[in-house]
């Protein structure tokens, strides 16, 4: 096998219509026949040729059906290519907390039918005792409320696959402790109740949306099982009655309509772990892959929109900035194509895992076309990159500098 061969992906679809009984979380087409085994090892991934791999990646639909990676236009809120998705109208951003009805929606299968009165969430796998939690039992555990920004992994720069809400739930760590983690536990598989025909992957059948996270991330205080959103019972369209909230990481790990947790000794090999939502890099003839992890440092401009026509008068440039593993330290704005940068004013509302609103009062000097842009810095001193990393060949974690061309009349 040449170094151009990529040993990355599985062709199997996720299976979770039945309860997982294996402490090794594996999801393949053949899993149904081994559901009741107490342990097994997944077979190795087979190699996929680079050309085939790149073709698959090129065909991946982005979160909102986007096909352009250039300057941000006023993006659509819905797309025929993603019928179960709806963007937040980022150009209308005017408050720190996104109302539930405006919060972006991203789903592969739509909202499953769940009998809330009969709802039970199971904890199985490498635990001392399997637990079945009703919603009432979960709500009686010590509750935690956090303001957290979620961004879809495929959200383009300037687009609306991002929102900010106040979430209430219980720590996943408390639920796992109640079940008793075994010493060999290394990973936690989160399984949703949604599944079916995956239109975005050529119509394959997927039994359930599922993602696994490391045990260390699962035990962090910011990883919750949430049942309220902005003070209201979690709406079904946003994952109700129960969803995971993996603060700081891209939204694909915050599994909605959570029905089962499987504690395992290694990561899942399911469809959404191995065929979607990871980062692949190509250098020379070698392609490597790794997890997406924390949301990348990013600032977006809400207003003005691209190609706006503005009066030769004072105007406000505004937006939001966020980062998954650090807080926002400052945002800078350029109104001369990047020759000089000026500090924006950060909003007073803040939380460790939430976006920070910002604004800049601009007095255009003359009529004509102007390039404006915004960049963010985090508390570690990192700065938002100017361009897309050319080595990344997967369509995720888009965080290059947001630009707008406007015309001053």
């Amino acid at each position: 096998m040449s170094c151009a061969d990529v040993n990355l992906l599985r062709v199997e679809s996720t299976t979770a219509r039945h309860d997982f009984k294996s402490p090794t979380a594996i999801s393949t087409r053949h899993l149904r026949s081994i559901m009741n085994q107490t342990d097994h090892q997944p077979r190795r991934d087979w190699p996929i040729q680079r050309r085939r791999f790149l073709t698959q990646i090129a065909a991946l639909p982005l979160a909102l059906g986007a096909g352009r990676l250039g300057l941000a236009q006023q993006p659509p809120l819905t797309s025929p290519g993603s019928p179960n998705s709806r963007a937040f109208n980022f150009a209308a951003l005017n408050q720190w907390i996104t109302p539930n009805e405006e919060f972006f929606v991203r789903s592969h299968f739509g909202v499953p039918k769940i009998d809330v009165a009969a709802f039970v969430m199971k904890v199985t796998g490498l635990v001392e005792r399997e637990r079945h939690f009703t919603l009432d039992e979960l709500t009686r555990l010590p509750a935690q409320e956090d303001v957290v920004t979620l961004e879809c992994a495929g959200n383009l720069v300037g687009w609306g696959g991002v929102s900010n809400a106040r979430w209430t739930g219980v720590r996943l760590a408390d639920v796992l402790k109640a079940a008793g983690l075994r010493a060999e536990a290394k990973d936690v598989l989160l399984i949703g109740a949604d599944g079916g025909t995956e239109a975005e992957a050529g119509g394959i059948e997927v039994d359930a949306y599922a993602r696994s996270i490391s045990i260390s991330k699962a035990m962090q205080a910011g990883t919750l099982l949430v049942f309220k959103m902005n003070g209201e019972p979690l709406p079904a369209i946003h994952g109700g009655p129960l969803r995971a909230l993996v603060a700081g990481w891209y939204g694909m790990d915050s599994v909605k309509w959570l029905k089962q947790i499987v504690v395992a000794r290694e990561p899942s090999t399911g469809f959404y772990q191995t065929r979607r939502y990871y980062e692949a890099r190509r250098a020379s003839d070698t392609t490597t892959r790794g997890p997406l992890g924390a949301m990348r440092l990013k600032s977006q401009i809400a207003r003005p929109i691209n190609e706006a026509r503005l009066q030769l008068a004072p105007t406000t440039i505004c937006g939001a900035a966020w980062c998954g593993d650090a807080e926002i330290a400052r945002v800078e704005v350029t109104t001369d194509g990047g020759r000089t940068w000026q500090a924006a004013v950060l909003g007073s509302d803040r939380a460790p895992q939430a976006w920070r609103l910002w604004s800049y009062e601009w007095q255009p000097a003359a009529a004509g076309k102007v390039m404006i842009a915004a960049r963010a810095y985090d508390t570690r001193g990192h700065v938002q990159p100017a361009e897309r990393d050319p080595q990344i060949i997967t369509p995720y974690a888009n965080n290059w500098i947001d630009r707008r061309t406007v015309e001053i009349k």
Side-chain angles (χ1 to χ4, degrees), residues 2-21:
S2 73
C3 61
D5 292 336
V6 185
N7 186 14
L8 296 181
L9 308 175
R10 281 189 184 273
V11 174
E12 292 90 352
S13 61
T14 303
T15 56
R17 286 195 182 117
H18 305 283
D19 294 344
F20 283 91
K21 294 297 183 182

Side-chain angles (χ1 to χ4, degrees), residues 219-366:
M219 300 302 287
Q220 287 184 3
T223 302
L224 305 179
L225 305 182
V226 300
F227 42 77
K228 284 188 177 182
M229 181 180 183
N230 293 331
E232 301 176 357
L234 183 64
I237 198 169
H238 294 301
L242 187 73
R243 72 174 294 168
L245 179 69
V246 185
W249 285 18
Y250 285 104
M252 77 279 174
D253 288 318
S254 293
V255 174
K256 297 185 286 293
W257 308 294
L258 187 67
K259 71 172 186 179
Q260 187 174 0
I261 296 170
V262 182
V263 181
R265 58 172 49 89
E266 60 188 56
S268 166
T269 57
F271 180 80
Y272 292 103
Q273 202 81 22
T274 60
R275 293 286 302 278
R276 295 293 186 270
Y277 303 127
Y278 62 90
E279 182 172 275
R281 289 178 172 269
R282 183 178 58 202
S284 298
D285 235 4
T286 302
T287 302
T288 58
R289 67 169 289 168
L292 288 173
M295 295 185 300
R296 310 291 166 81
L297 174 62
K298 187 173 183 179
S299 176
Q300 285 194 176
I301 298 171
R303 295 180 297 280
I305 64 172
N306 196 49
E307 298 179 353
R309 294 185 176 183
L310 307 175
Q311 298 297 319
L312 184 58
T315 189
T316 301
I317 303 171
C318 62
W322 59 92
C323 182
D325 52 5
E327 292 193 56
I328 297 300
R330 70 181 190 275
V331 173
E332 294 178 340
V333 174
T334 179
T335 58
D336 55 15
R339 289 188 294 274
T340 62
W341 294 84
Q342 309 299 324
V345 176
L346 297 180
S348 58
D349 291 317
R350 61 189 300 178
Q353 304 290 350
W355 66 20
R356 196 87 181 266
L357 303 187
W358 58 264
S359 63
Y360 175 74
E361 300 303 320
W362 176 41
Q363 173 60 68

Side-chain angles (χ1 to χ4, degrees), residues 94-301:
N94 62 3
Q95 56 186 319
W96 191 49
I97 298 294
T98 310
N100 291 354
E101 63 274 15
E102 297 178 22
F103 200 99
F104 85 94
V105 174
R106 173 60 174 147
S107 170
H108 290 265
F109 306 104
V111 179
K113 294 182 179 179
I114 297 175
D115 184 348
V116 177
F119 174 80
V120 172
M121 193 276 296
K122 302 176 183 179
V123 182
T124 63
L126 291 174
V127 293
E128 298 297 337
R129 49 201 169 273
E130 292 191 2
R131 293 293 304 269
H132 294 185
F133 289 92
T134 66
L135 193 61
D136 185 59
E137 288 173 321
L138 289 171
T139 58
R140 289 202 301 265
L141 294 175
Q144 178 171 313
E145 182 180 272
D146 291 335
V147 178
V148 174
T149 295
L150 283 182
E151 182 181 17
C152 177
N155 187 39
L156 289 177
V157 173
W159 287 56
V162 61
S163 300
N164 190 52
R166 191 180 305 276
W167 311 89
T168 304
V170 299
R171 291 184 180 182
L172 175 54
D174 290 345
V175 172
L176 295 176
K177 290 174 183 176
L181 289 175
R182 286 165 54 181
E184 60 268 38
K186 302 295 182 184
D187 225 73
V188 176
L189 179 64
L190 306 170
I191 304 171
D194 54 327
T197 301
E198 175 53 282
E200 297 178 10
I204 68 169
E205 288 298 314
V206 180
D207 287 346
Y209 182 90
R211 287 280 300 182
S212 68
I213 61 175
S214 66
I215 197 72
S216 60
K217 185 64 176 178
M219 300 302 287
Q220 287 184 3
T223 302
L224 305 179
L225 305 182
V226 300
F227 42 77
K228 284 188 177 182
M229 181 180 183
N230 293 331
E232 301 176 357
L234 183 64
I237 198 169
H238 294 301
L242 187 73
R243 72 174 294 168
L245 179 69
V246 185
W249 285 18
Y250 285 104
M252 77 279 174
D253 288 318
S254 293
V255 174
K256 297 185 286 293
W257 308 294
L258 187 67
K259 71 172 186 179
Q260 187 174 0
I261 296 170
V262 182
V263 181
R265 58 172 49 89
E266 60 188 56
S268 166
T269 57
F271 180 80
Y272 292 103
Q273 202 81 22
T274 60
R275 293 286 302 278
R276 295 293 186 270
Y277 303 127
Y278 62 90
E279 182 172 275
R281 289 178 172 269
R282 183 178 58 202
S284 298
D285 235 4
T286 302
T287 302
T288 58
R289 67 169 289 168
L292 288 173
M295 295 185 300
R296 310 291 166 81
L297 174 62
K298 187 173 183 179
S299 176
Q300 285 194 176
I301 298 171

